[in-house]
């Protein structure tokens, strides 16, 4: 989230799309309703009517996978009706940038596409520069090659008629949303967009969010109280575990994982440190070398010296363009290329697409270590229904894990607040925390490498690794410490003292820090700030629900990102009664500003979007692999074989694995005419491994069901409560029919398309509740993130004559 | 206390009736205070964070004689202000749960049962598996002769259930081994 949970109350308009916040982030809705009670309009755009819809001002159903068409129509509406916030757009976004002549877009393809590799050469998506290397701009926004005009031209095609035709949303409903939301394009009104996996889990997932970001920039909603682009992050510490990076392609703090082409630290820095020739651009990532060297110091301690490239040479290096995410991991496992591994508190046998294949892939492992609080479909895969354990070679370990209340440490909420939790009780029996297990295991591996020869032991033996697990000690390592005595801002710090903030991190080896974003969270002066429980706030902070002394938030306790865009170039708040920051008597008050420089008009200020190279919000976003502007493409499995915006049916860059079990339905496949979307529920959690083992939660939601409209049910001869079979090109699933007007038939291109919805939390280890919905979903994904397309695929549904998975 | 469904209904309808009396002017505070005392009197209060979605509601855990007896929303936390959803309200039964795995378990290749093992045995055996696999499959260089230090045949998945401190160590450990197949819930 750019903003935070409480800040939702400051919005004048709330667009909830790709999220069912009331059911999946229930307490967030407290703040949505607070905004509504203060007069905000709350709109829910979603295929299914849910409790979010029921509490919204109105609900608009649309077909899964058509969000960009819907949002593209809104961009068109805003531009054609002049609803954008002109000063903001001119001063703070790249609307005025002149795009190079080599950029183009034709019939669904941007310039630079190579059909042999299904990828773009992005070099033509660049800006025209002057002799000093600065981007050429036209603040009048009239130049035919400026971003603003290219944006207008791109979305001219997204007329109400075409958008209605492909999304299934009526013209009236489109206008209702567009007008209510575009009304926030004035200085003293703010709109927020709340999204979740309903946007990310598509082959156009990143571009869904890009489209929302463009709308927010046009309306001047980023940096404002009640504004922002707000990902309602799902799992318990998914924010912190992303920051600390349990992902292949990054190292902690959102820095690239080294590639084979970057053999030395110098190669890495050259490829990854952006340069700007504009003195008013903060270009914050220019500091990256300091953060990387401090990370290497954290990992290798005294072995990280300038002479040894700080240990950089010991790190693994990825192949450029190679994908090591779930989709590809399980495909390689299925092919027998993966031999062993760790699954910590995750249930991929239920929660990864095409789970029939995932389950077979797991059989190919020589050994598997699982750590969990319960038996799950993953831990017990070796004796799943229909499989003879005597034929499964895998050696499986199931290590009993402590749960949240049984250990101490920190988590990070969706608003980036760092929160400490204390251990209330001891883990049951012999259960241990993940931290205890991984530290102990690491030390045993180190002992083996010390006592006998082995492959390249250096990174293992030279690692700075704790003797035992102590969350407090690791929190200090994360914040960072000085490795020698040093004076910062006139204050003397001794070797081993905590670093006060990331401004003090250095690339000379004098600081060690496991994550620069968290630097400043644990200081000599104030201790562990995740533990702070102080509600004090100034009246200005109280007016927008800012709690600067409660816990701590990255970066540097800044609660609303890009807040310099909430003030005019003189530092005066655009919206004085909901001011985030203000320049008063030579200093900033309110939130922690995005950099302490004076306002822009002083000539000493910086452009507000400090994480981008040029300092401007990116309407034209050349950083994504599938285009600088979002463009509508159909899901890989789609009920139509054409759409009104171009001749290119699918995202030309989408990711997919191919194999004998990765069958796909053809576009408008008559065997699978129905769209399926999948979701969570309030009472169960993700793959369901934990919550199905909690009796009261299982009693509340005991069994797999499928929601379908009365019209579809009648067509198929299905009554409410009937057992049914849902089938895709990859698998079949038993479910109980829930016939409900919550699902509506949609009129698409002049004919009726049905959509059904199913939760995915049920699995065979809970007897009679049903089994994985993800046996239906395909292994295709977004080209930027490789996030699978869980939210739209094709199925058929029929009445079942007998049941094997479900108890009646 | 053992309570049948019928008893439960009786108790709740009595509660509803009492609520009616309260509206007529009876002071139920002493009764409520007595009821609360039964469960949490003398209990230690410990602040924790709900382990589900990333609203990260705060809870107050009541601990008596080392045992968790009650969990409720933290009224002081400015985001949830004491409120919890169905899952958050079930933390007590999630923690005190008869289905929990409480001992290290081992399933031998081609075996048909779980066997209980002690920590020493399982951790030593896993360390041995890790080293053997790494020694066998470690890839020092790629086809172009570039140094890559990769262990491609060993993977790590999960988890967003980990604390930040645990994540930082897991990432470090995996990179030291050379692991590149690393992913977690952020992508699914």
């Amino acid at each position: 989230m750019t903003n935070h949970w409480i800040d939702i109350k400051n919005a004048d308009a709330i667009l909830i799309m790709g999220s069912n916040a009331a059911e999946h982030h229930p307490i967030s809705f407290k703040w949505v309703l607070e905004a509504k009670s203060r007069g905000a309009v709350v709109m829910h755009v979603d295929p299914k009517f849910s409790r979010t819809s029921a509490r919204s001002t109105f609900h608009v159903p649309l077909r899964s996978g058509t969000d960009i068409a819907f949002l593209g129509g809104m961009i068109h509406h805003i531009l054609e009706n002049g609803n954008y916030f002109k000063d903001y757009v001119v001063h703070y976004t790249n609307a005025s940038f002149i795009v190079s002549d080599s950029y183009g877009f034709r019939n669904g393809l941007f310039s630079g596409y190579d059909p042999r590799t299904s990828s773009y050469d992005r070099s033509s998506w660049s800006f025209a520069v002057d002799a000093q290397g600065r981007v050429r701009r036209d603040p009048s926004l009239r130049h035919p090659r400026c971003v603003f005009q290219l944006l207008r031209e791109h979305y001219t095609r997204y007329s109400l008629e075409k958008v209605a035709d492909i999304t299934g949303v009526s013209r009236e409903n489109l206008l209702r949303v567009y007008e209510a939301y575009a009304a926030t394009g004035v200085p003293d009104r703010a709109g927020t967009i709340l999204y979740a996996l309903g946007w990310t889990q598509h082959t156009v997932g990143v571009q869904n969010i890009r489209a929302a970001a463009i709308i927010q920039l046009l309306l001047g909603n980023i940096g404002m109280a009640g504004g922002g682009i707000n990902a309602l992050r799902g799992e318990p510490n998914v924010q912190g575990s992303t920051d600390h990076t349990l992902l292949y392609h990054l190292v902690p703090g959102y820095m690239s994982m080294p590639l084979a082409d970057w053999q030395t630290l110098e190669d890495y820095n050259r490829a990854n440190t952006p340069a700007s020739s504009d003195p008013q651009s903060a270009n914050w990532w220019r500091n990256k070398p300091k953060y990387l060297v401090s990370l290497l110091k954290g990992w290798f301690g005294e072995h990280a010296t300038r002479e040894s490239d700080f240990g950089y040479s010991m790190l693994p290096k990825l192949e450029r363009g190679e994908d090591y995410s779930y989709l590809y991991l399980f495909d390689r496992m299925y092919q027998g290329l993966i031999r062993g591994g760790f699954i910590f508190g995750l249930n991929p046998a239920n929660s990864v697409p095409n789970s029939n294949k995932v389950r077979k892939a797991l059989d190919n492992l020589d050994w598997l270590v699982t750590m969990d609080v319960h038996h799950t479909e993953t831990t017990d895969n070796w004796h799943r229904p229909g499989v003879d354990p005597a034929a499964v070679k895998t050696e499986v370990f199931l290590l009993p894990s402590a749960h949240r209340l049984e250990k101490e440490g920190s988590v990070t909420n969706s608003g980036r607040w760092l929160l400490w939790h204390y251990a209330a009780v001891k883990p049951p029996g012999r259960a241990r925390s993940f931290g205890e297990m991984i530290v102990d295991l690491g030390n045993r591996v180190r002992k083996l490498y010390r006592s006998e020869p082995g492959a390249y032991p250096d990174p293992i033996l030279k690692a700075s690794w704790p003797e035992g697990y102590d969350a407090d000690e690791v929190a200090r390592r994360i914040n960072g410490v000085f490795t020698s005595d040093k004076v910062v801002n006139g204050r003397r710090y001794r070797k081993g003292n905590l670093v006060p903030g990331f401004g003090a991190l250095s690339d000379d080896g004098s600081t060690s820090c496991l994550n620069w974003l968290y630097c400043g969270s644990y200081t000599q002066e104030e201790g562990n700030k995740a533990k702070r429980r102080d509600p004090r706030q100034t009246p200005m902070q109280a007016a927008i629900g800012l709690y600067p002394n409660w816990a701590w938030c990255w970066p540097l306790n800044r609660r609303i990102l890009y807040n310099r865009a909430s003030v005019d170039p003189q530092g005066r708040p655009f919206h004085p009664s909901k001011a985030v920051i203000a320049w008063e008597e030579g200093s900033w008050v309110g939130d922690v500003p995005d950099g302490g420089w004076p306002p822009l008009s002083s000539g000493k200020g910086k452009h507000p979007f400090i994480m981008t190279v040029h300092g401007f919000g990116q309407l034209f976003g050349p950083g994504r692999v599938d285009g600088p502007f979002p463009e509508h493409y159909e899901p890989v499995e789609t009920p139509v074989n054409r759409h009104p915006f171009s001749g290119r049916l699918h995202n030309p860059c989408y990711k997919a694995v191919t194999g004998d079990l990765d069958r796909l339905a053809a576009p408008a496949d008559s065997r699978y005419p129905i769209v399926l979307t999948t979701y969570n529920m309030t009472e169960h959690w993700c793959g369901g491994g934990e919550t199905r083992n909690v009796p009261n939660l299982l009693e509340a939601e005991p069994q797999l069901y499928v929601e379908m409209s009365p019209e579809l049910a009648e067509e198929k001869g299905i009554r409410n409560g009937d057992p049914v079979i849902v089938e895709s090109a990859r698998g079949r699933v038993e479910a109980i029919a829930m016939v409900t007007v919550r699902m509506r038939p949609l009129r698409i291109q002049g004919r009726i398309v049905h959509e059904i919805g199913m939760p995915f939390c049920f699995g065979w280890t809970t007897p009679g509740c049903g089994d994985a919905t993800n046996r239906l979903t395909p292994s295709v994904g977004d080209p930027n993130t490789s996030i699978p397309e869980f939210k739209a695929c094709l199925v058929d549904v029929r009445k079942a004559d007998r049941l094997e998975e479900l108890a009646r | 206390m053992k309570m049948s469904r019928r008893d439960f209904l009786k108790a709740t309808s009595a509660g509803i009736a009492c609520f009616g009396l309260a509206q007529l002017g009876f002071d139920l505070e002493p009764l409520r205070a007595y009821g609360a005392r039964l469960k949490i009197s003398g209990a230690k209060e410990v602040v924790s964070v709900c382990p589900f979605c990333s609203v990260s509601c705060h809870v107050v855990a009541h601990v008596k004689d080392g045992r968790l007896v009650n969990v409720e929303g933290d009224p002081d936390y400015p985001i949830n202000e004491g409120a919890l959803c169905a899952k958050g309200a079930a933390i007590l039964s999630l923690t005190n749960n008869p289905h929990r795995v409480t001992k290290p378990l081992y399933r031998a290749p081609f075996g048909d049962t779980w066997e209980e093992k002690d920590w020493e045995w399982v951790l030593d055996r896993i360390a041995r598996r890790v080293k053997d696999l790494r020694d066998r499959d470690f890839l020092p260089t790629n086809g172009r002769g570039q140094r890559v230090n990769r262990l491609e045949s060993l993977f790590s998945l999960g988890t967003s259930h980990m604390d930040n401190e645990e994540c930082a160590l897991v990432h470090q450990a995996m990179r030291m081994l050379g692991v590149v197949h690393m992913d977690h819930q952020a992508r699914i």
Side-chain angles (χ1 to χ4, degrees), chain A residues 233 236 245 339 395 455 682, chain B residues 54 87 106 129 134 136 171:
Chain A
R233 305 225 50 190
T245 318
R339 298 179 195 281
E395 183 176 28
T682 312
Chain B
S54 61
K87 285 189 296 294
Y106 175 74
R129 291 282 172 272
R134 186 172 182 277
R136 179 197 146 135
H171 185 107

Side-chain angles (χ1 to χ4, degrees), chain A residues 1-11 14 16 19-36 38 192-197 224-239 411-419 544-547 550 553 558-561 685, chain B residues 49-50 52-58 77-81:
Chain A
M1 291 170 95
T2 55
N3 296 38
H4 60 94
W5 295 112
I6 297 170
D7 183 67
I8 297 169
K9 75 172 180 178
N10 295 315
I14 300 178
I16 305 172
S19 154
N20 175 2
E23 293 181 42
H24 303 157
H25 299 85
I27 306 306
S28 75
F29 226 68
K30 178 188 183 73
W31 301 105
V32 174
L33 294 177
E34 174 73 19
K36 195 179 170 205
R38 295 163 172 224
T192 186
I193 297 181
L194 310 181
Y195 74 91
L197 305 181
M224 308 287 286
I229 176 107
N230 291 308
L232 311 190
R233 305 225 50 190
E235 291 91 350
N237 188 29
V238 73
Q239 185 62 51
V411 295
T412 307
N413 80 5
S414 204
R416 298 166 284 103
W417 294 23
L418 181 65
L419 308 164
I544 58 167
L546 212 68
Y547 288 89
W550 195 288
C553 142
R558 183 173 305 134
R559 306 286 166 142
I560 296 181
L561 296 181
W685 192 248
Chain B
V49 181
C50 173
F52 294 107
C53 82
S54 61
V55 177
S56 302
C57 296
H58 277 31
Y77 184 56
I79 293 177
N80 65 310
E81 297 178 327

Side-chain angles (χ1 to χ4, degrees), chain A residues 364 366 370 380 413 475 578 752 762:
Chain A
N364 290 340
D366 292 337
T370 61
D380 286 44
N413 80 5
K578 287 182 186 166
I752 293 296
F762 295 103

Side-chain angles (χ1 to χ4, degrees), chain A residues 366-388:
Chain A
D366 292 337
W367 55 268
L368 172 65
V369 179
T370 61
M371 302 180 184
D372 222 309
V373 288
H374 297 296
H375 290 269
T376 70
E377 288 68 35
T378 300
T379 64
D380 286 44
N381 186 58
W382 53 273
H383 68 102
R384 68 186 181 275
V387 166
D388 177 8

Side-chain angles (χ1 to χ4, degrees), chain B residues 95-117:
Chain B
T95 311
N96 296 340
N97 185 302
H99 302 300
R100 291 279 297 270
V101 183
T102 57
K103 294 167 188 149
L105 296 177
Y106 175 74
R107 182 263 177 179
F110 309 107
D112 61 0
T113 52
W114 287 110
E115 303 164 39
E116 289 181 7
K117 297 285 185 187

Side-chain angles (χ1 to χ4, degrees), chain A residues 369-489:
Chain A
V369 179
T370 61
M371 302 180 184
D372 222 309
V373 288
H374 297 296
H375 290 269
T376 70
E377 288 68 35
T378 300
T379 64
D380 286 44
N381 186 58
W382 53 273
H383 68 102
R384 68 186 181 275
V387 166
D388 177 8
V392 178
K393 67 175 180 179
T394 316
E395 183 176 28
V396 186
F397 302 84
L398 171 51
L399 308 184
S401 308
H403 214 293
R404 177 64 56 79
L405 268 55
E406 297 155 358
K407 60 184 182 183
E408 74 164 351
S410 73
V411 295
T412 307
N413 80 5
S414 204
R416 298 166 284 103
W417 294 23
L418 181 65
L419 308 164
W420 196 264
H421 62 88
Y422 299 83
V425 286
K426 287 194 170 67
R430 287 187 266 149
R432 292 184 180 180
S433 71
F434 294 124
E436 288 173 296
M437 289 189 262
I438 194 75
V439 167
D440 192 340
L441 196 54
N443 281 319
R444 282 169 205 256
V445 172
R446 279 157 66 87
K447 194 171 156 201
L448 284 178
Y449 273 96
R450 266 196 297 270
S451 60
E452 54 185 80
Y456 194 46
D458 297 40
I460 294 169
L461 297 181
K462 291 180 177 170
S464 171
W465 190 253
E467 286 301 310
Y469 180 66
D470 174 0
D472 183 79
E473 170 56 25
V474 184
R476 295 166 65 96
R477 287 180 183 229
I478 288 172
N479 175 82
V481 294
F482 290 101
T483 60
S484 54
D485 294 358
K486 204 170 179 184
V487 175
V488 175
N489 294 334

Side-chain angles (χ1 to χ4, degrees), chain A residues 33 56 69-70 189 210 264 304 367 421 448 490 505 541 578 598:
Chain A
L33 294 177
S56 292
F70 186 96
R189 289 176 73 82
R210 279 274 304 137
T264 64
W367 55 268
H421 62 88
L448 284 178
L505 293 177
Q541 291 160 344
K578 287 182 186 166

